Amino acid sequence: MTTVYERRAAPAVRPATRRSPVGPVLALLWAGAAAVVALWWADTGSVVGAAGWLTGAGRIAGLLCGYACAVLVGLMARVPLLERRIGSDRVARWHAMAGRYTVCLLVAHITLILLGYAAQDRASLWHETVTVVLDYPDMLKATFGTVILFAVGITSARAARRRLSHEFWYYVHLLTYVAVFLAFFHQLTLGDDLSGDATATAAWYALYLGVAALVVWFRFLVPVRLNLRHRLRVDSVHKEAPGVYSVVVRGRRLDELGARAGQFFRWRFLGEGMGWTSTPYSLSAPPRQDLMRITVKALGDHSAAVALLRPGTRVWAEGPYGSLTADRQTAPKSLLIAGGVGITPLRALFETLPGDVTLLYRARTAEDLALGGELEAIARWRGAKLLYALNGPDGRRPDLTSESLRAAVPALAGHDVYICGPHGFARDVYEALSAAGVPDRRVHHESFEL
């Protein structure tokens, strides 16, 4: 997409007025967990003997596990409040943490309940396990659900993720819905804290049905409406740098999407064998009424195939997502720091972010500077500063230290700083900024390592 740059005044700074909902959301989640424990407390009399303590602990773990399953699915629902106000990367980290808690609580629930029942019946652990699985109502379904959750947990471990394709991991991950559905019914038929209390049962149904409604609405109905309404297709593909290509997508009334510079969509290209994969790519230019553009670096099979897309290929998109926008801005001066293909959202912000803006672009060589011509044009009409950090002739990487950043950007501590790039790069830059005195509240980062 060729952008027409006009000499005009830089946008006026609009201080951020919307407070992040992180605190209230976390408080709500912890309040739910406290309510679950209170449910057990209200329904439990005295706890006597080892069997009673084991069974009681198992019931608490089971209730918390059931609650965590609902939270886990809710965080997958792509609710705009979470995805756009809190940030998709933070929500993804919450989801990963909730997944670990869920698996740990599930292990604790199974172990403690079986040990408690075995002690109560004076039976072997193996005999008690077979009896519970085969004879108790809804336990076979719950067992299958448990196996699926363990499979999801194993494939989500960092060591496994490095060895599995994104497609395989994604479709195994979707089985979480099946696992939660299979495990739900035994919570009501066997859960002493739920089966005998009509109010608690109604609340549990409301929790699960509410989460299911969020998933159906935001993950299925909203994307269907978006794609039927806007009819996205590939308009053109352009090479920007070695292994880096821009894809221009054309559609109808795209301004109604409300997409903003710095945000991303999840893209599914329905051609060239790419329709099975949905991948997040940032907008690399401010969206227009009929055009959007993404810029992609070939880092895997899917991203490499982007270069082969043909004009007219149908596109299925979901979004917009992400909170790396002007809403985070709190100061009249901003520094954008991009590493490699992390330039894509920052290129859009460089054009649209209000106030005094500096862009620092880290790349290996001048040839690797994707969108360099556009960046220089933007810097000219805005009167903005554009800095490059390239490897030396001997291949040595320049150090982005607190001292070098302060020398390049006077009064650095008073800037908002937007970072986008590989995880290691972003971590190093964050540490340098912290050492340079930039407050955490002014460092804004979004990662796609979901």
Side-chain angles (χ1 to χ4, degrees):
M1 177 167 57
T2 302
T3 305
V4 178
Y5 301 103
E6 302 172 354
R7 287 201 173 273
R8 55 184 183 241
V13 176
R14 297 185 305 246
T17 57
R18 294 192 300 174
R19 296 183 62 184
S20 170
V22 169
V25 170
L26 287 177
L28 180 63
L29 294 178
W30 284 112
V36 167
V37 175
L39 177 64
W40 171 84
W41 180 270
D43 189 60
T44 302
S46 59
V47 179
V48 180
W53 282 103
L54 288 169
T55 304
R59 285 169 55 195
I60 294 174
L63 285 168
L64 288 173
C65 182
Y67 173 72
C69 283
V71 171
L72 195 68
V73 174
L75 292 174
M76 294 171 65
R78 297 177 185 168
V79 179
L81 172 68
L82 303 180
E83 298 281 336
R84 301 176 192 174
R85 296 285 304 283
I86 293 177
S88 299
D89 60 333
R90 179 176 287 184
V91 174
R93 290 195 295 272
W94 287 0
H95 173 73
M97 183 180 298
R100 290 191 287 271
Y101 285 153
T102 301
V103 171
C104 290
L105 287 168
L106 181 59
V107 171
H109 170 62
I110 294 170
T111 303
L112 293 169
I113 283 291
L114 290 176
L115 287 173
Y117 285 1
Q120 180 178 305
D121 296 340
R122 300 183 183 277
S124 69
L125 185 60
W126 172 253
H127 178 271
E128 198 65 38
T129 301
V130 172
T131 301
V132 168
V133 171
L134 297 181
D135 296 345
Y136 282 40
D138 294 314
M139 272 307 302
L140 270 178
K141 289 186 291 187
T143 301
F144 284 122
T146 298
V147 172
I148 292 173
L149 278 178
F150 282 142
V152 172
I154 292 170
T155 57
S156 297
R158 190 179 298 273
R161 283 289 306 276
R162 287 196 293 262
R163 292 170 171 80
L164 298 174
S165 68
H166 174 78
E167 293 80 4
F168 181 82
W169 169 84
Y170 176 76
Y171 286 108
V172 169
H173 214 66
L174 287 181
L175 292 175
T176 302
Y177 297 128
V178 178
V180 172
F181 174 78
L182 290 173
F184 173 74
F185 297 100
H186 97 286
Q187 299 174 41
L188 299 176
T189 55
L190 297 177
D192 293 340
D193 306 289
L194 298 174
S195 59
D197 188 331
T199 302
T201 300
W204 210 249
Y205 267 112
L207 173 66
Y208 273 76
L209 290 176
V211 168
L214 291 177
V215 171
V216 171
W217 182 258
F218 290 114
R219 292 208 64 159
F220 295 97
L221 297 182
V222 169
V224 167
R225 179 182 181 275
L226 183 157
N227 288 279
L228 291 178
R229 181 176 180 82
H230 298 288
R231 304 296 180 94
L232 304 176
R233 291 185 181 272
V234 172
D235 183 78
S236 57
V237 180
H238 309 278
K239 185 175 181 179
E240 304 286 1
V244 180
Y245 291 83
S246 284
V247 180
V248 179
V249 176
R250 183 176 295 275
R252 302 184 304 179
R253 301 188 298 272
L254 299 184
D255 53 317
E256 296 177 4
L257 288 171
R260 306 183 61 192
Q263 291 188 310
F264 68 94
F265 286 75
R266 288 180 169 89
W267 304 89
R268 193 185 301 271
F269 299 102
L270 306 181
E272 310 296 337
M274 301 172 67
W276 291 101
T277 303
S278 175
T279 306
Y281 295 126
S282 294
L283 298 175
S284 60
R288 294 186 174 182
Q289 186 174 5
D290 60 341
L291 296 175
M292 294 189 293
R293 187 185 72 179
I294 59 175
T295 302
V296 180
K297 184 174 183 178
L299 298 173
D301 293 341
H302 186 274
S303 54
V306 165
L308 306 177
L309 287 171
R310 299 175 182 176
T313 299
R314 293 177 59 193
V315 179
W316 184 275
E318 299 175 39
Y321 301 120
S323 62
L324 196 70
T325 68
D327 282 344
R328 289 192 177 186
Q329 193 177 33
T330 62
K333 296 183 179 182
S334 299
L335 169 63
L336 314 179
I337 305 179
V341 79
I343 190 60
T344 52
L346 299 191
R347 181 272 178 237
L349 283 171
F350 192 45
E351 181 177 345
T352 60
L353 198 64
D356 184 351
V357 181
T358 299
L359 172 62
L360 173 59
Y361 187 179
R362 166 77 182 97
R364 288 179 297 177
T365 67
E367 189 181 29
D368 295 317
L369 293 171
L371 309 172
E374 294 181 12
L375 297 172
E376 291 171 4
I378 295 170
R380 284 194 297 271
W381 71 254
R382 288 202 62 165
K385 183 185 287 187
L386 177 60
L387 306 173
Y388 296 122
L390 305 177
N391 291 359
D394 59 353
R396 182 175 299 179
R397 300 176 59 181
D399 292 328
L400 297 181
T401 63
S402 58
E403 292 79 10
S404 65
L405 290 173
R406 278 198 298 256
V409 184
L412 175 59
H415 285 63
D416 278 297
V417 183
Y418 290 76
I419 308 170
C420 192
H423 177 72
F425 168 83
R427 182 190 62 242
D428 293 342
V429 169
Y430 173 81
E431 292 175 355
L433 291 169
S434 181
V438 180
D440 282 357
R441 70 180 183 278
R442 288 188 173 169
V443 180
H444 316 301
H445 170 244
E446 198 158 50
S447 167
F448 297 117
E449 297 183 0
L450 307 183

